Amino acid sequence: MQTVNESKTKWSLRDVIFLAIIAIFFGVIFEVWSVAYYAVAATPLKPYANDLTLGVWLMAAPLAGAILQKVGSSLLGEILAAAVEMMLFSSWGAANLISGFVQGVGTELGFAATGYKNWGKLGLTFSVITTTIITFIWDLFNSGYADYKPSLMITLFIIRLISAGFFGGVLVYYIQKLVAKSGVLKH
Amino acid sequence: MFKLNPTILVAIMLGIGIETSFVRSIILNGVVVLISSVYLLTQRPNFKLIGLMILISFPLAFGTWWSFIAFGTGDTHHLALVYATRLYAYLFLGAAVTLTVSVKDLLTSLNQHAKVSNTFTYGLLAAFNLVPRVRRQVQIIRYAGALRGVTYRLWQPQIYFKAILSALHWSDDLAIAMTSHGFSEGFPRTQTVTDHLPRWQWLLPVVLVLLYLLVAIIFKPW
């Protein structure tokens, strides 16, 4: 089964449908597990819950990048995931689409830093770092992190880096390995 | 019934949404909620869904409010209310789009007025029709694991891998099916449905976004 076009930039119908279905799958899987988030988010520990689970929300971006290996696949994957979440299950409303865009840009920058040549460990590491920084800057304004005490801000940044590193880095790396081993993709 | 074009709604949602992220004002958040809900009410929405939406988001707003009381700096009581009401501003802005427009109408409109390509429009539409099937598939994956005494966890790669396998198969099948039904990528196609967008509606997002900006800068509302 051939899912990757020769072209690194052109989008085929199959790629678009693939990304959208992945986005729907992620939405449904996270829906099942979102109860835990709600339990913590109703307390003052909400910012911790946000940053601890952030990696889960931005996983779609590095995964789309690592599997499709195209320019813009991370950005597009994350925007689609956000759009799907918004249309189907969201309690975040409009914020979803905008933060999806920010997360996608963050991840995309990491792969771009390798010149779109490395989609493995190095590319994923870069994308974890760039997306952590970019989404954190965004949340300084959007979620008002700038108005928290500095000590909390630093703690949150570290938690976010760990979460993004695990879900968007380590986990995506192992998923990519499983997919490669199964031989369904021909690069 | 007065209806705004979906493309215009999305433009307003994104424009006001981005501004909302940077403006710390309880009054403006309230105005956004008010205008969005007035528009929602004129569209005969599903009230049960709106009620559920407000109920589900209440703990989140409460958590936000509490966290600024506990860890905020500066005028914590004001800030706590700003961020709690901002959550509702976002919620109602989004609802004004998602509860009044179907996915199909939204994609058709974006295709005709916002230059979203045919490949994306019809590809996304095809995928959205699979939502019930995706839900079933996730259950099947979990049950199949349970039969063998395996529980899939969010932090293990297996469940995602299985989801990707299904997505690969389905996207392949769908793309082939669409091509064999005459869908050609990158070619012009005849439109059977014309989505009507009066020119004046384009003024609406521009005026609203500018108005919000001016009020936020000049009056600095509470």
Side-chain angles (χ1 to χ4, degrees):
Chain A
M1 202 191 313
Q2 174 94 20
T3 50
V4 179
N5 268 0
E6 299 304 318
S7 160
K8 257 190 177 181
T9 49
K10 203 175 163 295
W11 288 89
S12 72
L13 183 63
R14 184 188 288 163
D15 299 329
V16 173
I17 300 177
F18 174 69
L19 273 189
I21 297 180
I22 284 284
I24 297 170
F25 259 110
F26 272 51
V28 173
I29 292 172
F30 297 152
E31 193 184 27
V32 178
W33 271 280
S34 64
V35 184
Y37 171 80
Y38 272 92
V40 185
T43 71
L45 300 177
K46 186 181 177 217
Y48 291 99
N50 273 347
D51 284 66
L52 206 59
T53 54
L54 190 92
V56 176
W57 301 112
L58 48 79
M59 238 171 100
L63 195 67
I67 289 182
L68 286 179
Q69 309 197 347
K70 274 176 193 297
V71 175
S73 51
S74 298
L75 178 58
L76 206 63
E78 191 58 49
I79 291 177
L80 285 186
V84 167
E85 276 158 29
M86 189 182 95
M87 296 307 287
L88 298 178
F89 350 78
S90 175
S91 52
W92 282 271
N96 232 318
L97 213 55
I98 302 169
S99 53
F101 177 78
V102 173
Q103 292 165 5
V105 168
T107 308
E108 192 69 39
L109 280 178
F111 289 121
T114 70
Y116 292 110
K117 289 199 174 71
N118 190 313
W119 305 88
K121 275 182 190 158
L122 187 72
L124 284 172
T125 310
F126 277 155
S127 79
V128 164
I129 296 168
T130 50
T131 201
T132 305
I133 294 171
I134 300 259
T135 56
F136 199 82
I137 292 173
W138 172 247
D139 272 330
L140 285 179
F141 300 101
N142 181 50
S143 308
Y145 282 16
D147 290 319
Y148 282 131
K149 289 174 184 152
S151 57
L152 180 67
M153 268 161 65
I154 295 167
T155 318
L156 288 177
F157 184 84
I158 295 169
I159 295 178
R160 178 172 297 221
L161 186 63
I162 294 170
S163 172
F166 177 74
F167 287 103
V170 177
L171 194 53
V172 168
Y173 176 72
Y174 280 105
I175 296 170
Q176 192 190 19
K177 253 175 95 172
L178 275 180
V179 173
K181 219 163 69 182
S182 73
V184 288
L185 290 177
K186 286 183 209 142
H187 280 305
Chain B
M1 190 170 58
F2 174 74
K3 234 178 163 42
L4 282 174
N5 188 281
T7 302
I8 298 297
L9 277 176
V10 170
I12 294 173
M13 181 188 83
L14 290 179
I16 299 288
I18 290 169
E19 286 181 323
T20 300
S21 295
F22 295 98
V23 176
R24 294 186 287 188
S25 160
I26 299 168
I27 293 176
L28 277 176
N29 287 342
V31 170
V32 170
V33 170
L34 196 72
I35 295 179
S36 305
S37 41
V38 166
Y39 180 73
L40 257 177
L41 286 179
T42 63
Q43 305 299 310
R44 290 188 215 162
N46 181 346
F47 285 101
K48 230 166 118 185
L49 211 59
I50 296 181
L52 196 70
M53 183 181 93
I54 295 173
L55 208 68
I56 289 179
S57 54
F58 181 73
L60 295 181
F62 182 65
T64 302
W65 177 81
W66 198 353
S67 80
F68 280 95
I69 295 287
F71 307 117
T73 55
D75 186 358
T76 49
H77 286 276
H78 178 247
L79 287 174
L81 273 177
V82 166
Y83 293 116
T85 50
R86 181 179 285 181
L87 193 134
Y88 280 100
Y90 273 133
L91 193 66
F92 277 86
L93 258 182
V97 180
T98 51
L99 296 187
T100 62
V101 185
S102 71
V103 174
K104 190 181 163 207
D105 292 344
L106 181 64
L107 285 171
T108 314
S109 174
L110 289 175
N111 179 229
Q112 294 183 14
H113 307 296
K115 295 196 167 73
V116 173
S117 77
N118 289 330
T119 303
F120 276 91
T121 307
Y122 292 97
L124 289 181
L125 201 55
F128 262 99
N129 286 326
L130 288 182
V131 170
R133 193 178 273 219
V134 169
R135 283 186 193 278
R136 210 169 59 218
Q137 188 67 16
V138 171
Q139 272 184 341
I140 289 173
I141 292 172
R142 297 174 79 209
Y143 291 159
L147 272 179
R148 287 176 284 113
V150 181
T151 314
Y152 295 116
R153 310 268 180 208
L154 193 59
W155 53 87
Q156 294 169 339
Q158 282 83 5
I159 190 163
Y160 304 103
F161 170 65
K162 282 170 190 283
I164 288 170
L165 282 192
S166 303
L168 276 175
H169 282 296
W170 295 353
S171 58
D172 233 17
D173 290 351
L174 261 181
I176 292 169
M178 284 170 72
T179 310
S180 63
H181 275 262
F183 183 88
S184 347
E185 290 177 52
F187 287 91
R189 50 186 287 132
T190 46
Q191 301 287 356
T192 48
V193 189
T194 349
D195 182 62
H196 184 57
L197 184 119
R199 274 246 169 104
W200 67 268
Q201 285 199 8
W202 278 114
L203 278 176
L204 215 58
V206 179
V207 169
L208 284 176
V209 165
L210 284 178
L211 201 67
Y212 188 107
L213 199 67
L214 284 178
V215 170
I217 291 173
I218 297 172
F219 295 103
K220 293 193 174 40
W222 184 65

